[in-house]
Amino acid sequence: MATDAHRKLITRLDMIADLNDEDRAALSALPIAVRDVAADTDIVSEGETVSQCCILIEGFTYRYRNIRDGRRQIIAFNVPGDIPDLHSLHIRRMDHSFAATTPSRVGFVSHKAVWNLCRERPNVAAALWLETLIDGAIFREWIVGLGRLSGKSRTAHLLCELAVRLRAVQLAPDLVYHLPLTQHELADALGLTVVTVNRVLQELKAENLIERERSRMTIKDWSAFARVGDFDPKYLHFRQQVYMAPGSPKEN
């Protein structure tokens, strides 16, 4: 019987791939064990050897690396439906850590079960491969931002990306969404100081582009805000325009 974990996984893959009813039925039969994870808790740690993949069901997680002096670089954020460690099918020893930033619910499925499914359902195998390619596309976009965009632009770009990804799973109606990230976490993702993040957020608010009240983020002028962030959602490779934010470029 399909659970919320199965439905989140199927919804995510349907956004990027052409699945049929038999593929969805096979995904619904995956043995998924669900576990609640406390905030600020590693789900998988760097150096760990893993034998299962994770599906984020509820909450918000991030992937990160620590350098020798203890500073942290956040390298990705994950929203419900994401499979943050799908690459562990091939790379068994984790080269980074994966943690919950807020209380989260995570589904675990064994590598063996995923491999069996891939052998039986080529469409699903292709969809999972595409998921890893899109993960790489997001990494490339972040690298460009860190290397070439101003602090203000990369902040706007990240907030636009999260809005579109959350809207895709119906968690950002009217471009209002829950953003459970501290300024320290934003700084660690954006390669900025906390002081700079605070200044940029205040500047964006003063320009009437966003409103942030605690963990509630509102994008007030999508077109203008996307221009500030040099944001084009094509790198997310969603198949349906319904998943795009208002005013964003249409997919081909």
Side-chain angles (χ1 to χ4, degrees):
M1 180 180 296
T3 65
D4 195 33
H6 294 100
R7 286 188 286 271
K8 287 286 197 312
L9 175 59
I10 292 168
T11 297
R12 169 60 193 166
L13 295 181
D14 267 333
M15 283 192 282
I16 62 172
D18 188 15
L19 301 178
N20 58 39
D21 290 341
E22 290 79 11
D23 297 326
R24 297 185 189 94
L27 285 163
S28 295
L30 273 175
I32 299 177
V34 177
R35 177 161 61 92
D36 291 325
V37 179
D40 301 316
T41 301
D42 276 1
I43 299 167
V44 181
S45 298
E46 183 176 349
E48 185 176 345
T49 300
V50 295
S51 60
Q52 56 191 357
C53 296
C54 303
I55 303 160
L56 181 58
I57 305 169
E58 296 176 10
F60 211 91
T61 63
Y62 61 92
R63 293 146 68 180
Y64 71 96
R65 287 283 308 274
N66 284 326
I67 60 176
R68 289 184 180 180
D69 64 6
R71 287 181 295 167
R72 176 182 65 176
Q73 178 67 46
I74 291 176
I75 56 177
F77 289 117
N78 302 109
V79 303
D82 285 355
I83 316 169
D85 60 350
L86 185 58
H87 56 276
S88 68
L89 279 170
H90 295 277
I91 303 174
R92 297 296 179 88
R93 187 176 296 277
M94 291 290 286
D95 57 14
H96 64 278
S97 298
F98 164 43
T101 186
T102 187
S104 299
R105 178 161 291 180
V106 180
F108 295 88
V109 56
S110 71
H111 288 166
K112 181 179 179 180
V114 176
W115 277 118
N116 288 340
L117 178 62
C118 289
R119 282 190 286 266
E120 294 168 3
R121 306 300 311 175
N123 279 351
V124 173
L128 293 175
W129 173 231
L130 180 55
E131 174 73 5
T132 64
L133 295 176
I134 293 172
D135 194 43
I138 294 173
F139 276 132
R140 288 190 291 276
E141 197 75 9
W142 279 39
I143 290 170
V144 171
L146 287 169
R148 292 297 179 223
L149 296 183
S150 68
K152 181 178 180 181
S153 292
R154 74 180 80 154
T155 301
H157 190 285
L158 174 61
L159 296 177
C160 284
E161 178 188 296
L162 291 174
V164 173
R165 290 170 63 193
L166 287 165
R167 190 168 186 261
V169 290
Q170 302 179 349
L171 292 176
D174 300 321
L175 297 177
V176 179
Y177 61 94
H178 180 57
L179 184 69
L181 300 175
T182 66
Q183 291 188 7
H184 282 277
E185 288 165 336
L186 288 171
D188 285 349
L190 295 166
L192 303 172
T193 66
V194 175
V195 172
T196 301
V197 168
N198 181 269
R199 176 182 57 77
V200 166
L201 291 174
Q202 292 302 321
E203 185 176 343
L204 293 170
K205 181 179 179 180
E207 293 172 1
N208 204 35
L209 295 173
I210 64 169
E211 184 69 42
R212 189 179 189 192
E213 184 178 353
R214 295 186 179 179
S215 63
R216 177 187 172 95
M217 174 64 66
T218 302
I219 297 177
K220 302 180 73 173
D221 185 337
W222 173 262
S223 295
F225 195 52
R227 284 195 298 273
V228 170
D230 195 21
F231 179 76
D232 183 335
K234 288 182 179 179
Y235 69 97
L236 297 172
H237 298 282
F238 292 143
R239 294 176 63 241
Q240 299 181 43
Q241 180 64 21
V242 67
Y243 297 124
M244 296 300 179
S248 60
K250 292 184 178 181
E251 289 285 84
N252 294 326

